[in-house]
Amino acid sequence: MSAFTTEDLFQIMRECAGEEEAVDLSSAAAEQEFGLLGYDSLALMEAISRVERGYGIALPEETLGEALTPAAFVAVVNAALADRMPAAGAA
Amino acid sequence: MTTAPATAAPTTTAAGTARAVVTGVGVLAPNGIGAEEYWAATLRGESGIARITRFDPSSYPSRLAGEVTGFSVRDHIPSRLVPQTDRTTQFALAGADWALADAGLNAESLPADERGVVTASASGGFEFGQRELGHLWGKDPKHVSAYMSFAWFYAVNSGQVSIRHDLRGPTGVLVTDQAGGLDAVAQARRRIRKGTPLMLTGGMDASLCPYGLAAQISAGILSESEDPARAYLPFDAAANGHVPGEGGAILALEDADRARERGARIHGAIGGYAATFDPRPGSGRPANLERAVRGALADAGLRPGDIAFVLADGAGEPEPDRVEAQALTAVFGPGGVPVSVPKTMTGRLYSGAAPLDLVTALFALRDGVVPPTVHVEETTGHDLDLVTGAPRPVTGDAALVLARGRGGFNSAMVVRGPSAP
């Protein structure tokens, strides 16, 4: 099971950047691009900053330009978490 | 260089003959949210000045303010915009929504490059800035919101309103303290005259947070009275500074012909404008407010006798009050025109004050009644016909609004009523 889930990300996005009225942040949204969900690059910067603070990790600089969907973003976070705790990843 | 003749218009209005009419207004004021609510409260003489409630002001020498109360952000601002906006921007977004609704317009009614926005700002997003500076100082740079990059900035109200309503025509911000509220509307009028059919304009300020209040106190012109009825007394023998307030107004300005073609209800027109700058302090040369007044009248093609009433700047300090009263007396004669300062009911709203006064002037012309300067009783020393105590009936279709900003800014604007030719 992943340490960081799409729902964790959506919760952070709601807190730091609000929620578009017309957009439903359900599991179906995980594969949509952030722009379609109403989040611009500043919203993503804000989310990256909150994840880094909350989980004590550093995300790669490319995250902003390359993690274009919530699913991709979650994968980047889980990779960073696994790097930080190799023992947990192996268990 | 010699002083220009007093009759010269110091600031010429741009070429073009189109008239700029006001078709929509959105108001947030300490004594009323919504234009008609504000107007009704103002005619009743209701003041919104009271002890500050948004934080504990007990350790500050000035503890009174005109706070906007009862504004529920979640009711008026999309959730997506709340984390990235200061209170001043939330006011501007709500005011712009209401102005467009009042004008009967929606975002799609014109091509995007045929609508623009020019607002005034005196302080930017102070409360947002205070919070994020607290994060920087108390934690580390990683805790500073990415939105700090623009949320504090003077141009943010124009920017957010532009994005929300897809206004891709002329856009900008004027920063000339309290005079900016008129300067922004004048700039919007220029753009109308140059062919942009619709401009949103006006101003909002809201910096009643500890950081914002401290900055205002440092200017040395805030009243330290504890009595809401004695703290802001422009033209009064007991004038001792002003009370700060928050809020303002956003106006929808349209080309008159276009507005008539679509059958819009017209509140009135921006008839004339001029701005001047004062000599540096200590130069011995006189202030230039009188030239602004004469310039605005000349731009409107009116004589002093055509003006039904004046809404004065009303600094609430002896020297600026004397200068303003002298300018009015020089143009209109002693007691020659009814003068009022309705901002005695709101405090000084900085960039929001003059746009709110424009709304007041439009409604006063419409209803033929000028609201009073509340709390002021003793005007000895000024030859002004100050409207005090109760609203006063007036007749006419033109009014003058004055606004002065710290640093030497003087602006004057003539407003024409809905039935003016």
Side-chain angles (χ1 to χ4, degrees):
Chain A
M1 180 179 164
S2 297
F4 184 78
T5 66
T6 311
E7 193 41 51
D8 293 332
L9 174 62
F10 287 160
Q11 187 55 38
I12 287 170
M13 300 295 288
R14 283 189 195 98
E15 286 169 16
C16 73
E19 191 170 2
E20 199 78 25
E21 290 114 329
V23 172
D24 180 22
L25 284 186
S26 61
S27 55
E31 302 293 342
Q32 290 193 35
E33 293 206 0
F34 283 112
L36 290 174
L37 300 173
Y39 296 114
D40 58 18
S41 58
L42 279 173
L44 275 180
M45 282 178 66
E46 193 69 10
I48 288 169
S49 172
R50 295 220 181 189
V51 169
E52 289 183 332
R53 271 151 41 197
Y55 290 82
I57 54 174
L59 298 178
E61 282 197 9
E62 308 84 76
T63 307
L64 192 59
E66 295 178 5
L68 300 179
T69 64
F73 188 102
V74 166
V76 170
V77 174
N78 281 318
L81 286 170
D83 277 352
R84 191 191 59 175
M85 298 180 291
Chain B
M1 187 177 156
T2 55
T3 308
T7 48
T11 308
T12 55
T13 309
T17 55
R19 283 178 83 233
V21 293
V22 179
T23 54
V25 295
V27 166
L28 284 108
N31 59 346
I33 294 177
E36 295 294 349
E37 290 78 1
Y38 158 75
W39 176 237
T42 299
L43 285 181
R44 290 193 299 267
E46 283 177 20
S47 170
I49 293 174
R51 186 180 167 91
I52 290 170
T53 61
R54 302 191 72 234
F55 61 95
D56 176 8
S58 55
S59 62
Y60 296 82
S62 300
R63 299 166 197 173
L64 301 179
E67 291 180 321
V68 171
T69 53
F71 177 74
S72 169
V73 175
R74 296 281 172 183
D75 289 347
H76 301 293
I77 307 299
S79 129
R80 183 70 184 74
L81 294 176
V82 173
Q84 59 174 276
T85 46
D86 181 77
R87 185 169 169 87
T88 179
T89 306
Q90 290 163 1
F91 284 1
L93 286 165
D97 281 357
W98 300 342
L100 285 171
D102 185 45
L105 288 167
N106 61 53
E108 287 77 37
S109 58
L110 285 166
D113 61 358
E114 293 189 7
R115 45 187 204 252
V117 53
V118 175
T119 63
S121 177
S123 56
F126 252 80
E127 192 170 27
F128 199 103
Q130 173 180 329
R131 189 181 68 224
E132 299 308 323
L133 284 170
H135 289 158
L136 178 65
W137 180 74
K139 294 170 183 169
D140 64 70
K142 279 193 175 300
H143 284 79
V144 177
S145 166
Y147 297 118
M148 181 64 184
S149 55
F150 59 72
W152 71 275
F153 190 51
Y154 298 101
V156 70
N157 291 356
S158 287
Q160 289 283 20
V161 168
S162 164
I163 293 167
R164 178 152 170 73
H165 297 290
D166 195 22
L167 312 174
R168 300 186 187 215
T171 301
V173 62
L174 274 291
V175 183
T176 53
D177 192 38
Q178 184 123 343
L182 293 185
D183 299 337
V185 176
Q187 176 63 7
R189 175 179 177 238
R190 284 187 200 102
R191 303 311 311 203
I192 298 272
R193 289 183 156 192
K194 287 183 176 179
T196 302
L198 168 66
M199 293 291 296
L200 292 184
T201 186
M204 292 281 181
D205 263 304
S207 50
L208 296 178
C209 58
Y211 177 27
L213 185 64
Q216 294 174 51
I217 287 170
S218 73
I221 50 177
L222 290 194
S223 169
E224 297 186 357
S225 170
E226 295 270 17
D227 180 356
R230 301 295 298 162
Y232 178 32
L233 301 169
F235 303 114
D236 193 295
N240 59 354
H242 71 263
V243 173
E246 61 178 357
I250 301 292
L251 315 180
L253 219 57
E254 284 188 76
D255 175 293
D257 292 338
R258 295 283 290 261
R260 283 202 192 86
E261 271 169 33
R262 72 176 184 88
R265 181 272 331 271
I266 292 172
H267 288 297
I270 305 303
Y273 162 80
T276 61
F277 202 68
D278 283 338
R280 68 173 170 78
S283 72
R285 287 179 288 146
N288 269 328
L289 179 61
E290 181 186 335
R291 288 181 59 219
V293 172
R294 292 191 188 278
L297 289 171
D299 185 32
L302 296 178
R303 296 183 308 272
D306 298 324
I307 297 297
F309 62 88
V310 176
L311 299 185
D313 178 67
E317 304 157 71
E319 179 60 14
D321 283 354
R322 187 189 63 76
V323 167
E324 188 171 27
Q326 273 189 352
L328 290 172
T329 303
V331 175
F332 295 96
V337 65
V339 175
S340 191
V341 188
K343 56 175 81 74
T344 47
M345 291 176 250
T346 62
R348 288 175 73 79
L349 309 183
Y350 308 111
S351 74
L356 187 61
D357 272 348
L358 293 177
V359 174
T360 307
L362 289 166
F363 286 11
L365 290 171
R366 179 193 70 188
D367 294 348
V369 60
V370 178
T373 308
V374 301
H375 305 142
V376 172
E377 292 157 8
E378 182 65 49
T379 59
T380 311
H382 304 301
D383 288 327
L384 291 183
D385 175 15
L386 198 68
V387 177
T388 59
R392 189 192 298 179
V394 289
T395 54
D397 61 21
L400 179 69
V401 174
L402 303 184
R404 306 185 77 201
R406 267 171 60 77
F409 302 102
N410 301 302
S411 293
M413 186 165 272
V414 172
V415 173
R416 304 303 303 269
S419 56

